[in-house]
Coordinates of all heavy atoms in Angstrom, one line a residue:
A1 N 222.9 -41.3 106.3 CA 221.7 -41.9 105.8 C 220.6 -41.8 106.9 O 220.9 -41.8 108.1 CB 222.0 -43.4 105.6
K2 N 219.5 -41.5 106.4 CA 218.3 -41.4 107.3 C 217.2 -42.4 106.7 O 217.1 -42.5 105.5 CB 217.7 -40.0 107.3 CG 218.6 -39.0 107.9 CD 218.0 -37.6 107.9 CE 218.9 -36.6 108.4 NZ 218.3 -35.2 108.4
V3 N 216.5 -43.0 107.6 CA 215.4 -43.9 107.2 C 214.1 -43.3 107.8 O 214.1 -43.0 109.0 CB 215.6 -45.3 107.7 CG1 214.4 -46.2 107.4 CG2 216.9 -45.9 107.2
Y4 N 213.1 -43.1 107.0 CA 211.8 -42.6 107.4 C 210.7 -43.7 107.2 O 210.2 -43.8 106.1 CB 211.5 -41.3 106.7 CG 212.4 -40.2 107.0 CD1 213.5 -39.9 106.2 CD2 212.1 -39.4 108.1 CE1 214.3 -38.8 106.6 CE2 212.9 -38.3 108.4 CZ 214.0 -38.0 107.6 OH 214.8 -37.0 107.9
P5 N 210.4 -44.4 108.2 CA 209.3 -45.4 108.0 C 207.9 -44.7 107.9 O 207.0 -45.2 107.2 CB 209.3 -46.3 109.2 CG 210.1 -45.5 110.3 CD 211.0 -44.5 109.5
K6 N 207.8 -43.5 108.5 CA 206.6 -42.7 108.3 C 207.1 -41.3 108.1 O 208.0 -40.8 108.7 CB 205.8 -42.8 109.6 CG 205.2 -44.2 109.9 CD 204.4 -44.2 111.1 CE 203.9 -45.6 111.4 NZ 203.0 -45.6 112.6
L7 N 206.4 -40.6 107.2 CA 206.8 -39.2 106.9 C 205.9 -38.3 107.7 O 204.8 -37.9 107.2 CB 206.7 -39.0 105.4 CG 207.3 -37.6 105.0 CD1 208.8 -37.6 105.3 CD2 207.1 -37.5 103.5
A8 N 206.3 -37.9 108.9 CA 205.5 -36.9 109.7 C 206.0 -35.5 109.4 O 207.2 -35.2 109.4 CB 205.7 -37.2 111.1
G9 N 205.1 -34.6 109.0 CA 205.5 -33.2 108.8 C 206.0 -33.0 107.4 O 206.6 -31.9 107.1
G10 N 205.8 -33.8 106.4 CA 206.2 -33.6 105.0 C 207.7 -33.6 104.9 O 208.4 -34.3 105.5
M11 N 208.2 -32.8 103.9 CA 209.6 -32.8 103.6 C 210.4 -31.9 104.4 O 211.6 -31.8 104.2 CB 209.7 -32.5 102.1 CG 209.3 -33.5 101.1 SD 210.3 -35.0 101.2 CE 211.8 -34.4 100.5
R12 N 209.8 -31.1 105.3 CA 210.6 -30.1 106.0 C 211.6 -30.7 106.9 O 212.6 -30.0 107.2 CB 209.7 -29.1 106.7 CG 208.9 -29.7 107.9 CD 208.1 -28.6 108.6 NE 207.3 -29.2 109.6 CZ 206.0 -29.5 109.5 NH1 205.4 -29.2 108.4 NH2 205.4 -30.1 110.5
N13 N 211.5 -31.9 107.4 CA 212.5 -32.5 108.3 C 213.5 -33.3 107.6 O 214.4 -33.9 108.3 CB 211.8 -33.3 109.4 CG 211.0 -34.5 108.9 OD1 210.8 -34.5 107.7 ND2 210.6 -35.4 109.8
V14 N 213.5 -33.4 106.3 CA 214.4 -34.2 105.5 C 215.7 -33.4 105.3 O 216.8 -34.0 105.2 CB 213.8 -34.6 104.2 CG1 214.8 -35.3 103.3 CG2 212.6 -35.5 104.5
G15 N 215.7 -32.1 105.2 CA 216.9 -31.3 104.9 C 217.1 -31.2 103.5 O 216.2 -31.1 102.7
S16 N 218.4 -31.2 103.0 CA 218.7 -31.1 101.6 C 219.7 -32.2 101.2 O 220.9 -31.9 101.1 CB 219.3 -29.7 101.3 OG 220.4 -29.5 102.1
P17 N 219.2 -33.4 101.1 CA 220.1 -34.5 100.8 C 220.5 -34.5 99.3 O 219.9 -33.9 98.4 CB 219.2 -35.8 101.0 CG 217.8 -35.3 100.7 CD 217.8 -33.8 101.2
D18 N 221.6 -35.2 99.0 CA 222.1 -35.3 97.6 C 221.2 -36.3 96.9 O 221.1 -36.1 95.7 CB 223.6 -35.8 97.6 CG 224.5 -34.8 98.3 OD1 224.3 -33.6 98.1 OD2 225.5 -35.3 98.9
L19 N 220.7 -37.3 97.5 CA 220.0 -38.3 96.9 C 218.9 -38.8 97.8 O 219.1 -39.0 99.0 CB 220.9 -39.5 96.5 CG 220.2 -40.8 95.9 CD1 219.6 -40.5 94.6 CD2 221.3 -41.9 95.8
V20 N 217.7 -39.0 97.3 CA 216.6 -39.6 98.0 C 216.2 -40.9 97.3 O 216.0 -40.9 96.1 CB 215.3 -38.7 98.0 CG1 214.2 -39.4 98.7 CG2 215.6 -37.4 98.7
I21 N 216.2 -42.0 98.1 CA 215.9 -43.3 97.5 C 214.6 -43.7 98.1 O 214.3 -43.7 99.3 CB 217.0 -44.3 97.9 CG1 218.3 -43.9 97.4 CG2 216.6 -45.7 97.3 CD1 219.5 -44.8 97.9
L22 N 213.6 -44.0 97.2 CA 212.3 -44.4 97.5 C 212.1 -45.8 97.2 O 212.1 -46.2 96.0 CB 211.3 -43.5 96.8 CG 211.4 -42.0 96.9 CD1 210.4 -41.3 96.0 CD2 211.2 -41.6 98.4
F23 N 211.9 -46.6 98.2 CA 211.5 -48.0 98.0 C 210.0 -48.1 98.0 O 209.3 -48.2 99.0 CB 212.1 -48.9 99.2 CG 213.6 -48.9 99.2 CD1 214.3 -48.3 100.2 CD2 214.3 -49.6 98.2 CE1 215.7 -48.3 100.2 CE2 215.7 -49.6 98.2 CZ 216.4 -48.9 99.2
T24 N 209.5 -48.1 96.8 CA 208.1 -47.8 96.6 C 207.2 -49.0 97.0 O 206.0 -48.8 97.3 CB 207.8 -47.5 95.1 OG1 208.3 -48.6 94.3 CG2 208.5 -46.2 94.7
N25 N 207.8 -50.2 97.1 CA 207.0 -51.4 97.5 C 206.6 -51.3 99.0 O 205.6 -51.9 99.4 CB 207.7 -52.7 97.2 CG 206.8 -53.9 97.3 OD1 205.7 -53.8 97.0 ND2 207.4 -55.0 97.8
T26 N 207.4 -50.6 99.8 CA 207.2 -50.6 101.2 C 206.6 -49.2 101.8 O 206.6 -49.1 103.0 CB 208.6 -50.8 101.9 OG1 209.5 -49.8 101.5 CG2 209.1 -52.2 101.6
M27 N 206.2 -48.4 100.9 CA 205.7 -47.1 101.3 C 204.3 -46.9 100.8 O 203.9 -47.4 99.7 CB 206.6 -45.9 100.9 CG 206.8 -45.7 99.5 SD 208.1 -44.5 99.0 CE 207.8 -43.1 100.0
S28 N 203.5 -46.1 101.5 CA 202.2 -45.8 101.1 C 202.2 -44.8 99.9 O 203.1 -44.1 99.7 CB 201.4 -45.2 102.2 OG 201.8 -43.9 102.5
H29 N 201.0 -44.8 99.1 CA 200.9 -43.9 98.0 C 200.9 -42.5 98.5 O 201.4 -41.6 97.9 CB 199.6 -44.2 97.2 CG 199.7 -45.4 96.5 ND1 199.2 -46.6 96.9 CD2 200.2 -45.7 95.2 CE1 199.4 -47.6 96.0 NE2 200.0 -47.0 95.0
K30 N 200.3 -42.2 99.7 CA 200.2 -40.9 100.2 C 201.6 -40.4 100.5 O 202.0 -39.2 100.2 CB 199.4 -40.9 101.5 CG 199.2 -39.6 102.1 CD 198.3 -39.6 103.3 CE 198.2 -38.3 104.0 NZ 197.3 -38.3 105.2
M31 N 202.5 -41.2 101.1 CA 203.9 -40.9 101.4 C 204.7 -40.6 100.2 O 205.4 -39.6 100.1 CB 204.5 -41.9 102.3 CG 205.9 -41.6 102.7 SD 206.5 -42.9 103.8 CE 208.1 -42.3 104.2
L32 N 204.5 -41.4 99.2 CA 205.2 -41.2 97.9 C 204.8 -39.9 97.3 O 205.7 -39.1 96.8 CB 204.9 -42.4 96.9 CG 205.5 -42.3 95.6 CD1 207.0 -42.4 95.6 CD2 205.0 -43.5 94.7
R33 N 203.5 -39.6 97.2 CA 203.1 -38.3 96.6 C 203.6 -37.1 97.4 O 204.0 -36.1 96.9 CB 201.5 -38.3 96.6 CG 200.9 -39.1 95.5 CD 199.5 -38.8 95.3 NE 198.7 -39.0 96.5 CZ 198.1 -40.1 96.9 NH1 198.2 -41.2 96.1 NH2 197.4 -40.2 98.0
S34 N 203.6 -37.3 98.7 CA 204.2 -36.2 99.6 C 205.6 -35.9 99.3 O 206.1 -34.8 99.2 CB 204.0 -36.5 101.1 OG 204.5 -35.6 101.9
V35 N 206.4 -37.0 99.2 CA 207.9 -36.8 99.0 C 208.1 -36.2 97.6 O 208.9 -35.3 97.4 CB 208.6 -38.2 99.1 CG1 210.0 -38.1 98.7 CG2 208.5 -38.7 100.6
L36 N 207.4 -36.8 96.6 CA 207.6 -36.3 95.2 C 207.2 -34.8 95.1 O 207.9 -34.0 94.4 CB 206.8 -37.1 94.2 CG 207.4 -38.6 94.1 CD1 206.5 -39.4 93.1 CD2 208.8 -38.6 93.6
S37 N 206.1 -34.4 95.7 CA 205.6 -33.0 95.6 C 206.6 -32.1 96.4 O 206.9 -31.0 95.9 CB 204.2 -32.8 96.1 OG 204.1 -33.1 97.4
G38 N 207.1 -32.5 97.5 CA 208.0 -31.7 98.3 C 209.4 -31.6 97.7 O 210.1 -30.6 97.9
S39 N 209.8 -32.6 96.9 CA 211.1 -32.6 96.3 C 211.2 -31.8 95.0 O 212.3 -31.4 94.6 CB 211.6 -34.0 96.1 OG 210.8 -34.6 95.1
K40 N 210.1 -31.5 94.4 CA 210.1 -30.7 93.1 C 210.7 -29.4 93.4 O 211.5 -28.9 92.6 CB 208.7 -30.6 92.6 CG 208.2 -31.8 92.0 CD 206.8 -31.6 91.4 CE 206.2 -32.9 90.9 NZ 204.8 -32.7 90.4
N41 N 210.4 -28.7 94.5 CA 210.9 -27.4 94.7 C 212.3 -27.4 95.2 O 213.0 -26.4 95.1 CB 210.0 -26.7 95.8 CG 208.6 -26.6 95.4 OD1 208.3 -26.6 94.2 ND2 207.6 -26.6 96.3
E42 N 212.8 -28.5 95.7 CA 214.1 -28.6 96.3 C 215.2 -28.9 95.3 O 216.4 -28.8 95.6 CB 214.1 -29.5 97.5 CG 213.2 -29.2 98.6 CD 213.5 -27.9 99.3 OE1 214.7 -27.6 99.4 OE2 212.6 -27.2 99.7
G43 N 214.8 -29.5 94.2 CA 215.8 -29.9 93.2 C 216.6 -31.1 93.6 O 217.8 -31.3 93.2
M44 N 216.0 -32.0 94.4 CA 216.7 -33.2 94.8 C 216.8 -34.3 93.8 O 215.9 -34.4 92.9 CB 216.0 -33.8 96.0 CG 215.9 -33.0 97.2 SD 215.0 -33.9 98.5 CE 214.4 -32.5 99.5
S45 N 217.8 -35.1 93.8 CA 217.9 -36.3 92.9 C 217.1 -37.4 93.6 O 217.2 -37.7 94.8 CB 219.3 -36.8 92.8 OG 220.1 -35.9 92.1
I46 N 216.2 -38.0 92.8 CA 215.3 -39.0 93.4 C 215.5 -40.3 92.6 O 215.5 -40.3 91.4 CB 213.8 -38.6 93.4 CG1 213.6 -37.4 94.2 CG2 212.9 -39.7 93.8 CD1 212.2 -36.9 94.2
E47 N 215.6 -41.4 93.3 CA 215.7 -42.7 92.7 C 214.6 -43.6 93.3 O 214.5 -43.7 94.5 CB 217.1 -43.3 93.0 CG 217.4 -44.7 92.3 CD 217.6 -44.6 90.9 OE1 218.3 -43.6 90.4 OE2 217.2 -45.5 90.1
R48 N 213.8 -44.1 92.4 CA 212.7 -45.0 92.8 C 213.1 -46.5 92.6 O 213.7 -46.8 91.5 CB 211.5 -44.7 92.1 CG 210.9 -43.4 92.3 CD 209.6 -43.3 91.6 NE 209.3 -41.9 91.2 CZ 208.2 -41.5 90.6 NH1 207.3 -42.3 90.3 NH2 208.0 -40.2 90.4
C49 N 212.8 -47.3 93.5 CA 213.1 -48.7 93.4 C 211.9 -49.5 94.0 O 211.5 -49.2 95.1 CB 214.4 -49.1 94.1 SG 214.9 -50.8 93.9
H50 N 211.4 -50.5 93.3 CA 210.3 -51.3 93.8 C 210.7 -52.2 94.9 O 210.0 -52.3 95.9 CB 209.7 -52.1 92.6 CG 208.4 -52.8 93.0 ND1 207.3 -52.1 93.3 CD2 208.2 -54.1 93.1 CE1 206.3 -53.0 93.6 NE2 206.8 -54.2 93.5
T51 N 211.9 -52.8 94.8 CA 212.3 -53.8 95.8 C 213.1 -53.1 96.9 O 213.8 -52.1 96.6 CB 213.1 -54.9 95.2 OG1 214.3 -54.4 94.6 CG2 212.3 -55.7 94.2
S52 N 213.1 -53.6 98.1 CA 213.9 -52.9 99.1 C 215.0 -53.9 99.6 O 215.2 -54.0 100.8 CB 213.0 -52.5 100.3 OG 212.2 -53.7 100.8
S53 N 215.6 -54.5 98.7 CA 216.7 -55.5 99.0 C 218.0 -54.7 99.1 O 218.2 -53.6 98.6 CB 216.8 -56.6 97.9 OG 217.2 -56.0 96.7
I54 N 219.0 -55.4 99.7 CA 220.3 -54.8 99.9 C 221.0 -54.7 98.5 O 221.8 -53.8 98.2 CB 221.2 -55.6 100.9 CG1 222.5 -54.9 101.2 CG2 221.5 -57.0 100.4 CD1 222.3 -53.6 102.0
A55 N 220.7 -55.7 97.6 CA 221.3 -55.7 96.3 C 220.8 -54.4 95.5 O 221.6 -53.8 94.8 CB 221.0 -56.9 95.5
A56 N 219.5 -54.1 95.6 CA 219.0 -53.0 95.0 C 219.6 -51.7 95.5 O 219.9 -50.8 94.7 CB 217.4 -52.9 95.2
L57 N 219.8 -51.6 96.8 CA 220.4 -50.4 97.4 C 221.8 -50.3 97.0 O 222.3 -49.2 96.6 CB 220.4 -50.6 99.0 CG 221.0 -49.4 99.7 CD1 220.4 -48.1 99.4 CD2 221.0 -49.7 101.2
K58 N 222.6 -51.4 96.9 CA 224.0 -51.3 96.4 C 224.0 -50.8 95.0 O 224.9 -50.0 94.6 CB 224.6 -52.7 96.5 CG 225.0 -53.1 97.9 CD 225.7 -54.4 98.0 CE 226.1 -54.8 99.4 NZ 226.7 -56.1 99.4
N59 N 223.1 -51.3 94.1 CA 223.1 -50.9 92.7 C 222.8 -49.4 92.6 O 223.5 -48.7 91.8 CB 222.1 -51.7 91.9 CG 222.5 -53.1 91.7 OD1 223.7 -53.4 91.7 ND2 221.6 -53.9 91.5
I60 N 221.9 -48.9 93.4 CA 221.6 -47.5 93.4 C 222.7 -46.6 93.9 O 223.1 -45.6 93.2 CB 220.3 -47.2 94.2 CG1 219.1 -47.8 93.6 CG2 220.1 -45.7 94.4 CD1 217.9 -47.8 94.5
L61 N 223.4 -47.0 94.9 CA 224.5 -46.3 95.5 C 225.7 -46.3 94.5 O 226.4 -45.3 94.4 CB 224.9 -46.8 96.9 CG 223.9 -46.6 98.0 CD1 224.3 -47.3 99.2 CD2 223.6 -45.1 98.2
E62 N 225.9 -47.4 93.9 CA 227.0 -47.5 92.9 C 226.7 -46.6 91.7 O 227.6 -45.9 91.2 CB 227.2 -48.9 92.4 CG 227.9 -49.8 93.4 CD 227.9 -51.3 93.0 OE1 227.4 -51.6 91.9 OE2 228.5 -52.1 93.7
K63 N 225.5 -46.5 91.3 CA 225.1 -45.7 90.2 C 225.3 -44.2 90.5 O 225.7 -43.4 89.6 CB 223.6 -46.0 89.8 CG 223.0 -45.2 88.7 CD 221.6 -45.6 88.5 CE 220.8 -44.6 87.9 NZ 219.4 -45.0 87.7
H64 N 225.1 -43.8 91.7 CA 225.2 -42.4 92.1 C 226.5 -42.0 92.8 O 226.6 -40.9 93.3 CB 224.0 -42.0 93.0 CG 222.7 -42.0 92.2 ND1 222.3 -40.9 91.5 CD2 221.7 -43.0 92.0 CE1 221.1 -41.2 90.9 NE2 220.8 -42.4 91.2
A65 N 227.4 -43.0 93.0 CA 228.6 -42.7 93.7 C 229.5 -41.7 92.9 O 229.6 -41.8 91.7 CB 229.4 -44.0 93.9
V66 N 230.1 -40.8 93.6 CA 231.0 -39.9 93.0 C 232.4 -40.4 93.0 O 232.9 -40.8 94.1 CB 230.9 -38.5 93.7 CG1 231.9 -37.5 93.1 CG2 229.5 -38.0 93.7
S67 N 233.0 -40.5 91.8 CA 234.4 -41.1 91.8 C 235.4 -40.0 91.9 O 235.3 -38.9 91.5 CB 234.6 -41.8 90.5 OG 233.6 -42.8 90.3

């Protein structure tokens, strides 16, 4: 897991993750647009969530967990 409080350099330092979780309430519109435009070409799975609570994170991870 990686946490990016600020996105310096666009999506090039993110690598190729299986899932990108965007907590939209805690990020700027500019950062959101940058991540979304950079991820279109990479084919990444993106999950957006307005709240940044641990319960929201658990729900997202359970939804995307591989059994």
Side-chain angles (χ1 to χ4, degrees):
K2 295 181 184 178
V3 176
Y4 292 93
K6 295 181 182 180
L7 190 62
M11 290 292 292
R12 68 177 175 259
N13 63 344
V14 175
S16 56
D18 296 324
L19 175 65
V20 175
I21 301 172
L22 304 174
F23 295 110
T24 57
N25 192 35
T26 58
M27 63 191 311
S28 68
H29 288 96
K30 183 178 178 181
M31 184 176 179
L32 178 63
R33 285 191 303 270
S34 174
V35 171
L36 292 176
S37 67
S39 64
K40 286 181 183 176
N41 300 334
E42 302 296 324
M44 297 179 203
S45 294
I46 297 178
E47 184 73 36
R48 296 184 206 183
C49 184
H50 186 68
T51 61
S52 56
S53 67
I54 191 69
L57 177 60
K58 284 181 181 179
N59 287 336
I60 292 168
L61 293 176
E62 286 174 0
K63 179 177 156 183
H64 290 276
V66 177
S67 301

